[in-house]
């Protein structure tokens, strides 16, 4: 367990794979239901309790059950990304759900129009080309 100025951080023994980072979930620790923010980094997953007042005293090694929300909402690509893909003859629909979520998160974190345009170019360049009907 680590600590930040915002409260404790709980490090999982194994990295949570197959899910996007910055998810919300619930951690069941000894019958206490704790809302957590899940941060999956390159080689570690960390839980940040959003209400650390409900966190029971923990040993160096603890055990609990992490509950993730079911039924991820399908994400729709924004119009500017769809238009750019079409204009360059690329297939946005070729992305798997996890790849699309990653690309849309990458795009949504752009802080300026210039950065957004550059990120759209990167995403579009990685898409497979559309097959021409010949």
């Amino acid at each position: 367990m680590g600590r930040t100025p915002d409260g404790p951080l709980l490090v999982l023994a194994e990295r949570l794979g197959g899910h996007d980072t910055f998810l919300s979930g619930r951690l069941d620790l000894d019958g206490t239901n704790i809302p957590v923010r899940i941060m999956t980094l390159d080689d570690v997953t960390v839980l940040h309790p959003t209400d650390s007042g409900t966190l029971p005293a923990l040993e160096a090694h603890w055990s609990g059950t992490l509950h993730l929300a079911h039924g991820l909402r399908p994400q729709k690509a924004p119009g500017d990304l769809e238009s750019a893909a079409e204009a360059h003859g690329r297939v946005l629909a070729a992305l798997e759900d996890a790849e699309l979520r990653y690309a849309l998160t990458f795009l949504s974190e752009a802080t300026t129009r210039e950065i957004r345009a550059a990120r759209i170019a990167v995403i579009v360049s990685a898409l497979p080309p559309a097959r021409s009907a010949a």
Side-chain angles (χ1 to χ4, degrees), residues 11-44:
V11 180
L12 298 186
E14 294 182 28
R15 182 181 182 277
L16 181 64
H19 296 279
D20 290 337
T21 189
F22 304 117
L23 292 172
S24 295
R26 294 179 302 108
L27 179 62
D28 183 7
L29 281 175
D30 299 325
T32 302
N33 186 9
I34 303 157
V36 294
R37 191 81 170 139
I38 305 162
M39 298 173 281
T40 301
L41 308 171
D42 290 339
D43 58 353
V44 67

Side-chain angles (χ1 to χ4, degrees), residues 48-125:
H48 177 69
T50 57
D51 180 9
S52 58
T54 61
L55 188 64
L58 296 175
E59 301 293 325
H61 295 279
W62 49 271
S63 178
T65 303
L66 180 61
H67 300 275
L68 301 175
H70 291 283
L72 292 174
R73 287 176 275 160
Q75 295 192 21
K76 179 153 175 38
D80 55 351
L81 178 58
E82 288 180 338
S83 296
E86 186 177 327
H88 288 88
R90 301 296 180 130
V91 182
L92 190 57
L95 293 178
E96 295 176 2
D97 288 343
E99 293 170 326
L100 179 61
R101 281 193 307 273
Y102 180 82
L104 295 181
T105 298
F106 174 66
L107 184 57
S108 72
E109 292 172 346
T111 55
T112 67
R113 277 186 271 188
E114 293 80 13
I115 292 172
R116 184 175 179 89
R119 289 183 177 196
I120 286 174
V122 167
I123 294 167
V124 169
S125 71

